Amino acid sequence: MAGKLNGKVALITGASAGIGEACARALAAEGANLVLTARRDERLEALAAELRQLGVEVAFVAGDARDEETARRTVQAATDSFGRLDILINNAGAGNYKNLVDTSADEYDELMDTNMRTTFLFTRHAVPVMQSQKSGTILMLSSMAGVYGFAGEAVYCATKFAQVGFAQALDKELRPDGIKVGAICPGGVKTEFALGKGRTEDKVAQSGMLEPEDVAGAVLLACTQSANSRIIEIQMRTMDEALT
Ligand code: NAP
């Protein structure tokens, strides 16, 4: 199979559902070998079996992305299985839409840890591998909530703005090493995200939100730039939605 990512190795966090799963399919379709991670290992196993049918190699590591050991083991799986790591998609994340006065400190910690600490940990362990290769692409799956503030989403917005700031700073820090860092910022996407925490299955199904495959297309675009070009940020909305 001749694909745009033949010979490349991509690590995707939160690959058991939604956008991460769609990214895995999109990158595998272009020939990338994959390392997948999330907590639900039966889903990772099923996805890995499906993607191997495309002729790519797939490793997976089940674990909580908030634990540093999961990040360490998953990056190690890339180097052990494939001897390199070309692409990191920091996608694992969660939402919990609440007004500030209804939000507990524990809920703040859970969102910040799931969205930002995981991003830090996986990037922290992936970057030395990419620095030694003098190449790599790192993408943060942020959100339009990482670009604009929205009522009822203050803590979620804070976690997503944090990812954008992290990406902008690392772009400056890592570009001299040949590493491209960018943020993908979609509006609402039809996934399991925030179900029971501000979203319901019915409302998501009836909404005109983006499909996970739309976002995977943007991720693929950012992963397939020419050697001289890097995508710093992509903002996405459906044609039905105003910008904010
Ligand atoms: P999703 O369908 O709920 O999937 C979330 C993924 O993250 C799952 O694979 C889940 O796997 C993983 N995950 C969550 N907590 C984890 C943890 N502690 N350890 C390991 N894995 C964890 O959500 P999605 O819509 O695809 O969201 C993916 C990313 O896109 C998130 O960062 C989200 O903020 C962002 N985003 C979503 C939307 C939207 O409207 N859906 C819009 C813009 C941006 P396990 O449960 O198996 O661990």
Side-chain angles (χ1 to χ4, degrees), residues 132-159:
S132 70
Q133 296 168 182
K134 288 280 173 207
S135 69
T137 297
I138 300 171
L139 298 175
M140 320 304 165
L141 223 314
S142 179
S143 170
M144 290 298 269
V147 183
Y148 301 97
F150 296 99
E153 303 184 23
V155 173
Y156 180 65
C157 287
T159 70

Side-chain angles (χ1 to χ4, degrees), residues 14-20 38-40 63-66 91-94 114 141-143 156 160 186-189 191-193 199:
S16 62
I19 295 168
R39 290 166 299 187
R40 288 171 287 182
D64 192 318
R66 294 168 293 186
N91 166 77
T114 305
L141 223 314
S142 179
S143 170
Y156 180 65
K160 294 283 134 180
V189 188
T191 67
E192 299 169 9
F193 178 84
R199 286 189 184 172

Side-chain angles (χ1 to χ4, degrees), residues 138-140 163-164 167-169 171-172 175 180-185 222 225 229-235:
I138 300 171
L139 298 175
M140 320 304 165
Q163 288 180 301
V164 170
Q168 287 183 9
D171 170 64
K172 294 188 170 64
R175 187 168 56 81
K180 305 175 184 186
V181 185
I184 310 295
C185 301
Q225 290 299 291
S229 166
R230 73 196 203 277
I231 285 183
I232 290 120
E233 185 175 300
I234 294 178
Q235 297 181 19

Side-chain angles (χ1 to χ4, degrees), residues 104-124:
S104 69
D106 284 347
E107 287 170 331
Y108 170 89
D109 286 342
E110 191 183 348
L111 272 198
M112 197 54 94
D113 286 353
T114 305
N115 297 350
M116 186 57 226
R117 177 178 162 85
T118 62
T119 297
F120 163 74
L121 289 174
F122 278 80
T123 307
R124 172 67 186 82

